[in-house]
Amino acid sequence: MRTRWLALILWAWTCAAVVPPARAQSPTPPPNDDCLACHGDPSTTRADGRSVAVAPESFAKSVHGTLDMACVDCHADLAKTTEFPHPDRLAPVNCATCHEDAVKAFDASVHAAARQGSGSTGATCVDCHGMHDILPKSDPQSRTYHLNVAATCERCHTASAGKGAKPVGSAFEDSIHGQALKRAGLLVAPNCASCHGAHEIRTKDDPKSRVFRTTVIGTCTACHAGIKPQYDSSVHGQAAAAGNKMAPVCSDCHTAHSITAVDADRWQLAIIRECGTCHEQSLRTYRDTFHGKVTELGFTRVAKCSDCHGAHGILPASNPQSLISPERRLTTCQKCHAGANENFAQYDPHADPHDRERNPVLHGMSIFMQVLLAGVFTFFGMHTLLWFPRSWQARRARRHRDEPPPDANPPADAAAGEE
Amino acid sequence: MAHAEGERYFRRFDRYNRGLHLALMISFLGLAATGLPLLFSGVPWAARLSRLFGGFETAGVLHRIFAVVMLTTFALHVGRLLVRIVARGENLLWGPSSMVPQPRDVHEFVGHVRWFLRRGPRPAFDHFTYWEKFDYWAVFWGMAIIGGSGLMLWFPELFARVLPGTAFNVALLVHGEEALLAVGFIFTIHFFNGHFRPEKFPMDPVIFTGVVPEEELRDERPGEYDRLRREGRLESLIAAAPTPGMRRYGYIVGGLALTTGVFLLVLILRAVFY
């Protein structure tokens, strides 16, 4: 007896899940063929001339078509209509009837928020998923198939599209992630939704966003798992965890959309300047060294910040594990300078000639050199300035002597110029 | 400067010294052109000039080749000095033929400044003037300081066996600053004293042709002219007038060197006042 009741309840649940409630409410729902009698004709238009045609075969192939759903399952207000042709304006389709969670997530998104404001048209369900031709995201033809998502987003997020959408344009397409998707066709490469989410996309300033400063670390390390322990133990990771807003997170160094391979020259040179946005003094003193000058000229085959300090696992010099700790510094130098010894490793790669405390000898030599240069150029500069007019006179006097002028009366000052 | 037909010429620089000056000049310009991009790495022309030499690695190789040429030139000069002084017993340590600064240089300097200020006659300069001696010893100083620091930076691992690491910080600073002093001095003061001052403008080819016309010797170095005549040695220094080919060579090579130097000077000034 009890099992029979259970079976009945189960059957009722199944009906409720599979059969949309709209159909249940209508005693005589019009079959799809009735609708297609008009809407199946490609030339069908509304009173204002807009096409209202539906391609029957593309609906048949869609995820909703393959579930044998009726037109009135979505266009619910037509389920009870008996007068045809029906009025021009229908109630908007409510996807939440079935896709409650997705729409709830969407309602919290920047796209939904944009629709609240005037003039802005944030994307809705149909902008990303399509309308009658919606395909499941597992279908390579789908707008939401992993490799197609970027193109779907870029329909709005280009410089030309406007509509209040922030342009991403070619930045992502040219990035290592974009290239992995587009050229290598990698399903493991992230598309827009991998970082931003799909329905609940929030702005990066929103603490609940997947790309908020501190949250983005978890978003990146969801794939780059091996980096997480390194970063978490580093000075930067520790500071970020402690709530220091100045501490760099993944996107500060790698950027958000323009992420490039770390062996690209342009990035290797740019990251030096990036480190210098916080470490100003270190960048300045680095630029005084051979390493810093060569990289400033645009060449990368010399030590850059990360060659000595590391990248994700940067530790303070006081930590014996640090690449620049007294214990490990020589080994770090020897990565490039194979014959380096203890003396060599005492070279100060961030020496500051202005800092008497840190580099007393260098400071003294710097002052000596400045005095020497100023002295020599001042002395000989004055010597030259004084000599010039007299040399000019001497030249004129010689010319007069070589070719005596007709009046044979040389200028008095030129004559005085001769001894 | 056209000189009268049949004018007498006197030898000032022999073939050996002219050769050394040519080698010094070429290596100096080469070192300056390949080194300045690093010294002024932050300005736009530096990267362009560095790429012109095929990148910093090729520029570095060229810089070292020019350095070897310059150090060899220096060694050849010092070697010949030793031969002349020790083997031949020539008096090069004192007197008018010596580069050693002497009391007369102080007198001539004071006299020259007095002449600048119209307070006295132009000094009767002899074979080497005080500003020529300064140029000469500046090369010695530069060779020791820039050459020494350059070798340290070339072979840091070798020098680190005996020197502390901070010595390389000093070497890098000194190498750049001294080089700036050297190129700045040569491209302004030496160019003016030797070539650009109105009496010489646009250039004095004597370092290329080796000979000086009698009138010029008498005008500019009356002390030497009178002394040689007194000693009866004037005639022994008479040399053939430079051939047209020799004269052309002097003006072309000298002109190219002066142009290169002025071009580099403009780049330096642009970088300093950037």
Side-chain angles (χ1 to χ4, degrees), chain A residues 32-44 52-57:
Chain A
N32 288 357
D33 285 347
D34 283 5
C35 303
L36 289 172
C38 296
H39 291 281
D41 177 359
S43 62
T44 316
V52 288
V54 176
E57 59 284 356

Side-chain angles (χ1 to χ4, degrees), chain B residues 139-153:
Chain B
V139 175
F140 263 81
W141 164 261
M143 209 64 79
I145 303 291
I146 314 182
S149 59
L151 284 172
M152 279 174 66
L153 297 169

Side-chain angles (χ1 to χ4, degrees), chain B residues 50-113:
Chain B
S50 187
R51 288 187 196 285
L52 191 73
F53 289 114
F56 88 96
E57 284 155 310
T58 317
V61 170
L62 291 171
H63 196 78
R64 286 162 177 82
I65 291 172
F66 286 124
V68 169
V69 171
M70 185 179 271
L71 288 173
T72 308
T73 307
F74 185 66
L76 287 173
H77 171 67
V78 174
R80 188 176 187 231
L81 272 187
L82 289 175
V83 167
R84 287 178 67 182
I85 293 168
V86 178
R88 294 196 214 148
E90 287 184 51
N91 177 23
L92 297 177
L93 297 176
W94 202 257
S97 301
S98 172
M99 273 290 183
V100 176
Q102 295 158 47
R104 67 169 296 152
D105 295 309
V106 178
H107 293 307
E108 284 175 3
F109 166 68
V110 173
H112 207 205
V113 173

Side-chain angles (χ1 to χ4, degrees), chain A residues 296 348 383 390-391 393 395, chain B residues 41 115 118 130 169 198-199:
Chain A
E296 194 168 37
D348 186 346
H383 188 266
R390 299 295 274 154
S391 182
Q393 285 165 357
R395 183 192 177 105
Chain B
S41 56
W115 176 70
R118 300 165 192 269
Y130 65 88
N169 289 113
E199 292 153 280

Side-chain angles (χ1 to χ4, degrees), chain B residues 235-258:
Chain B
E235 268 65 29
S236 70
L237 292 173
I238 291 178
T243 61
M246 197 65 181
R247 211 183 278 273
R248 202 180 311 129
Y249 150 78
Y251 276 104
I252 290 175
V253 174
L256 278 174
L258 289 169

